[in-house]
Amino acid sequence: MSLKTALNEVNNAVLDLQSADYNTYHRPIQRLSAALHSESLRAITEQLKADVDFDAFVSDSDEGGSMIGSATLNWPKDRQKELGLAIHIIDRGAEDAGWFLNFSHHWYHAGNKFVANIRKVTTAVIIPFARDFKTYVESLRPAHTFAVEPNDFHRVFIVHGHDEAPRETVARFLSTVGLDPVILHEQANKGMTIPEKLAAYANVGFAVVLLTPDDEGRVKDAAEMQFRARQNVILELGYFVGRLGRDRVFALLKGQIEIPSDYVGVAYTAFDEGGGWRQNLALELEAAGYDIDWNKVMRRG
C-alpha cells in the first residue's frame, strides 16, 4: 500500500466511523488501525506509540468525582505525544470492542447511549488525530532530491523568454548539427516546482540564453523606458554561469535591450536574421568540448 493510499484509507475509515452506530462502529476502528500499521505508515506509527506511556497517561488523568461524565484526560501539549496516545486508543479499540465502549463511556460520556459516547470520542479525538497525523506524515516527507549526474555533452539547455521564434530557430539549429536542445516547459513536471525542475534538467554541458525584448523597465530617475529580457531569463543566465562557467554560456541578444549591469563587458552575440550567430555558437560549442560537424553548420549559414 502506497503512502497516499494508506492516508486515504485512514481518512475513509474515519468517515465511516462518523456515520457508524452501536452495531457497526468496530469495523471502521479496525480498518483505521490496519491502515496506520500498513507498510508505508508502520514505522511512523510505531515510533509515535513508543514515545508515550499510555497507561501512565490514563492513571495521571483526572478521574473526576462520583458524577458520571466528570472524568477528564490530561492530554499533553506536545502534538507528537498526542498523536501517539491517540494511536494507542485506536489500536486498543481495534483489538477489543468492549474496551473501546468502556473507555468512551468513562472519559467521553455523552449520555446513557453507548453510540453517543462513541461519537463524542470520534469527534474529540479521532477526527483531529486523522487531520494532524496526515500533516505530521507529510512534514516528514523529503523534498525532491536529484542525483548529481555528469554533464551531458550531447544536450544544450535553451533559456528563453516570450519570443518563440528565436527559441525554435535555435532549437532547430542544434538538432540539425546533431545535438539535443533542452527546453524547460517541454520536460515532464513530475510534481516539481520550477526551481526543482530547472535543477533536474540542468545536467548539460552548455546553455544558450536568448535575451529578447519581452519587458520594459527603467531605473528610478530615468525618463524613458528600456526594453529588457524577462526576469526569469536573467535569473537562469546567472544560474548557468554559476553552474557551468561563463565560457559555457552563450548569450544571444535580439534587438536593443538593457544589459544586466553585473554582466557588462561580457561578449554578446546578436541574433541576426542572416544567421551569422550560428557560426559563433558552433565555435563556442566546439571550444566547450562538443563534437561539431561543420558541414552541417555551414549548410545552415
Side-chain angles (χ1 to χ4, degrees):
M1 185 183 295
S2 70
L3 180 61
K4 181 178 179 180
T5 301
L7 289 173
N8 284 339
E9 182 63 16
V10 168
N11 184 67
N12 292 337
V14 172
L15 290 174
D16 289 345
L17 184 58
Q18 287 179 261
S19 59
D21 57 25
Y22 175 77
N23 296 313
T24 60
Y25 78 91
H26 194 224
R27 180 57 182 156
I29 295 177
Q30 290 178 317
R31 284 180 54 208
L32 177 55
S33 177
L36 292 172
H37 292 276
S38 62
E39 184 177 358
S40 56
L41 294 177
R42 185 181 303 121
I44 297 171
T45 296
E46 293 300 332
Q47 184 60 57
L48 288 170
K49 286 184 68 177
D51 288 342
V52 294
D53 185 336
F54 183 76
D55 292 329
F57 161 65
V58 173
S59 64
D60 291 342
S61 293
D62 184 2
E63 292 281 353
S66 58
M67 183 177 177
I68 297 176
S70 60
T72 305
L73 290 169
N74 295 328
W75 288 94
K77 293 182 179 179
D78 186 290
R79 201 60 181 147
Q80 291 183 37
K81 291 183 178 180
E82 269 196 58
L83 293 173
L85 292 168
I87 294 170
H88 274 283
I89 293 172
I90 293 164
D91 284 350
R92 293 193 183 197
E95 293 171 5
D96 187 344
W99 179 92
F100 190 77
L101 285 178
N102 291 331
F103 178 85
S104 59
H105 177 75
H106 182 73
W107 296 105
Y108 290 92
H109 186 78
N112 293 326
K113 293 185 177 181
F114 280 117
V115 70
N117 304 326
I118 292 169
R119 287 177 178 168
K120 186 173 181 180
V121 73
T122 299
T123 301
V125 178
I126 296 179
I127 293 174
F129 162 79
R131 176 197 64 213
D132 296 338
F133 180 75
K134 179 180 179 182
T135 300
Y136 176 70
V137 170
E138 290 178 342
S139 74
L140 300 177
R141 298 175 67 182
H144 281 287
T145 57
F146 309 102
V148 177
E149 300 179 7
N151 290 343
D152 185 342
F153 285 85
H154 188 70
R155 303 165 73 238
V156 177
F157 200 102
I158 300 178
V159 176
H160 63 91
H162 283 170
D163 195 338
E164 297 180 1
R167 180 194 72 202
E168 295 304 312
T169 300
V170 171
R172 284 198 302 271
F173 170 71
L174 292 171
S175 296
T176 298
V177 297
L179 301 177
D180 183 13
V182 178
I183 300 173
L184 193 61
H185 78 267
E186 294 179 353
Q187 313 307 312
N189 290 324
K190 300 179 182 178
M192 294 180 280
T193 64
I194 295 298
E196 290 170 339
K197 187 176 178 182
L198 179 63
Y201 291 103
N203 62 316
V204 297
F206 201 88
V208 177
V209 181
L210 293 167
L211 298 163
T212 54
D214 297 318
D215 290 349
E216 288 184 320
R218 62 180 174 84
V219 296
K220 183 176 180 181
D221 298 323
E224 296 184 359
M225 303 286 279
Q226 290 184 292
F227 286 116
R228 292 176 174 176
R230 296 282 295 169
Q231 289 179 323
N232 73 287
V233 172
I234 301 302
L235 177 65
E236 291 171 29
L237 168 64
Y239 173 79
F240 279 106
V241 168
R243 181 184 175 95
L244 302 176
R246 199 172 61 189
D247 59 333
R248 293 181 179 276
V249 178
F250 186 78
L252 268 176
L253 191 68
K254 181 180 180 181
Q256 298 295 318
I257 68 172
E258 185 180 50
I259 303 299
S261 59
D262 288 347
Y263 214 57
V264 170
V266 175
Y268 289 82
T269 297
F271 184 81
D272 58 302
E273 296 300 330
W277 57 268
R278 293 185 175 91
Q279 286 76 29
N280 291 335
L281 174 55
L283 283 170
E284 296 298 327
L285 285 166
E286 190 171 58
Y290 282 76
D291 186 14
I292 300 299
D293 184 338
W294 281 93
N295 289 324
K296 293 179 179 177
V297 173
M298 299 313 295
R299 281 203 298 270
R300 298 294 299 174

